[in-house]
């Protein structure tokens, strides 16, 4: 079954330190994409970073990087130099083929990150 | 400004009433999506549309209806058949329905029962 698992319901990190948010996925399809989104308390969903299954290098976007370990089926998000504004829910999602050649996103349950001053 | 506009931000529904949530985009994206989010849950797909005048059911379409008469607009109606409509509803767009681009989201609508 296609599934995303985020095992950390809540995480704390000290300001300016790095933090890793875990995401494991399950799919038998060789072609898939992995996304991370941030959802502040205001509710909007903000795209952070993308990793394709055939990408040779780990994705990076500013302070965000993705630790992609294909054999272990993990795609952990690393946030460097945490800021107070990083406090939010973080969701991992996977895009897989759907019926009729469509593609849909499968979402994890999220990890709540709190950055302490 | 380019973006996705959802309205209203908060909506209250009476028993037996249909309500419509608006989603408008000026990003010129082909695909549009409606998701439902319950507390402590991830997003669940209600309906999606790849082109004008076409839409497909998602995982939890029962009690909901949509239309896509214009590229810019994808309204969601929560019908009286949806017995537990209290949730946060998010509209999303994507440049191409089968591409690897990310989905972009509006600010959401919180729906509650009166």
């Amino acid at each position: 079954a296609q599934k995303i698992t985020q095992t950390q319901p809540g995480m704390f990190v000290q300001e300016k330190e790095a933090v890793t948010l875990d995401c494991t996925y399950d799919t038998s399809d060789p072609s898939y994409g992995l996304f991370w989104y941030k959802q502040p308390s205001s509710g909007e969903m903000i795209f952070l970073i993308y990793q394709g299954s055939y990408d040779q290098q780990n994705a990076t976007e500013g302070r965000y990087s993705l630790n992609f370990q294909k054999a272990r089926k993990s795609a952990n998000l690393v946030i460097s130099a945490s800021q107070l504004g990083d406090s939010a829910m973080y969701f991992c999602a996977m895009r897989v083929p759907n019926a009729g050649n469509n593609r849909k996103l499968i979402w994890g349950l999220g990890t709540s990150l709190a950055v302490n001053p | 400004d380019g973006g996705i506009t959802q309205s209203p931000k908060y909506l209250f529904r009476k028993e037996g009433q249909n309500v419509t949530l608006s989603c408008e985009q000026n990003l010129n994206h082909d695909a549009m999506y409606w998701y439902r989010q319950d507390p402590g849950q991830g997003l669940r797909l209600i309906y999606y549309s790849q082109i004008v005048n076409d839409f497909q059911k998602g995982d939890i379409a029962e009690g909901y209806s949509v239309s896509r008469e214009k590229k810019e607009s994808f309204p969601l109606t929560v019908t009286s058949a949806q017995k537990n409509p209290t949730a946060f509803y998010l509209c999303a767009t994507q440049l191409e329905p089968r591409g690897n681009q990310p989905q972009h989201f509006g600010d959401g609508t919180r729906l509650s029962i009166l």
Side-chain angles (χ1 to χ4, degrees):
Chain A
Q2 296 163 334
K3 189 178 179 181
I4 290 283
T5 302
Q6 294 181 254
T7 57
Q8 307 153 313
M11 290 280 288
F12 293 92
V13 65
Q14 208 63 30
E15 192 178 9
K16 299 181 184 177
E17 292 184 351
V19 61
T20 298
L21 306 183
D22 294 341
C23 173
T24 59
Y25 59 92
D26 189 13
T27 180
S28 57
D29 198 287
S31 176
Y32 52 89
L34 296 157
F35 299 82
W36 276 93
Y37 284 84
K38 171 185 178 182
Q39 187 177 40
S41 58
S42 51
E44 74 270 29
M45 197 70 78
I46 302 166
F47 166 69
L48 296 177
I49 197 167
Y50 167 78
Q51 180 83 45
S53 60
Y54 295 119
D55 293 345
Q56 294 297 313
Q57 293 186 323
N58 288 346
T60 61
E61 287 286 349
R63 293 188 299 111
Y64 304 108
S65 61
L66 209 151
N67 183 3
F68 182 46
Q69 298 187 45
K70 199 169 181 177
R72 298 180 62 183
K73 293 191 173 180
S74 73
N76 299 336
L77 177 70
V78 180
I79 305 174
S80 63
S82 297
Q83 301 172 356
L84 295 179
D86 293 334
S87 295
M89 283 290 292
Y90 289 82
F91 290 93
C92 180
M94 175 173 64
R95 177 171 290 149
V96 294
N98 195 18
N101 201 30
N102 295 318
R103 301 175 74 84
K104 71 171 187 178
L105 283 177
I106 297 172
W107 294 80
L109 297 182
T111 294
S112 177
L113 177 66
V115 180
N116 297 323
Chain B
D1 283 344
I4 304 163
T5 302
Q6 288 189 242
S7 62
K9 194 172 181 69
Y10 299 94
L11 186 58
F12 298 92
R13 195 191 89 169
K14 296 179 182 178
E15 292 287 341
Q17 186 182 42
N18 294 352
V19 292
T20 297
L21 285 61
S22 170
C23 180
E24 303 280 332
Q25 57 112 350
N26 60 5
L27 300 171
N28 201 33
H29 285 181
D30 287 330
M32 297 187 75
Y33 305 81
W34 274 107
Y35 290 95
R36 170 179 171 141
Q37 186 179 28
D38 293 283
Q41 301 289 320
L43 275 63
R44 292 186 289 168
L45 183 63
I46 305 173
Y47 268 99
Y48 64 99
S49 168
Q50 298 183 86
I51 56 172
V52 176
N53 292 322
D54 182 68
F55 49 83
Q56 309 292 331
K57 292 182 179 180
D59 299 318
I60 55 165
E62 186 174 351
Y64 301 96
S65 66
V66 294
S67 63
R68 186 90 184 272
E69 298 176 1
K70 300 185 300 182
K71 188 175 186 178
E72 301 80 17
S73 179
F74 190 41
L76 173 74
T77 296
V78 184
T79 74
S80 57
Q82 173 50 246
K83 298 306 179 187
N84 184 23
T86 297
F88 187 53
Y89 291 86
L90 284 161
C91 175
T93 72
Q94 186 175 331
L95 179 62
E96 298 170 339
R98 283 184 279 278
N100 285 325
Q101 310 90 359
Q103 292 183 7
H104 298 274
F105 287 80
D107 290 345
T109 293
R110 293 191 186 276
L111 175 61
S112 301
I113 293 287
L114 276 179

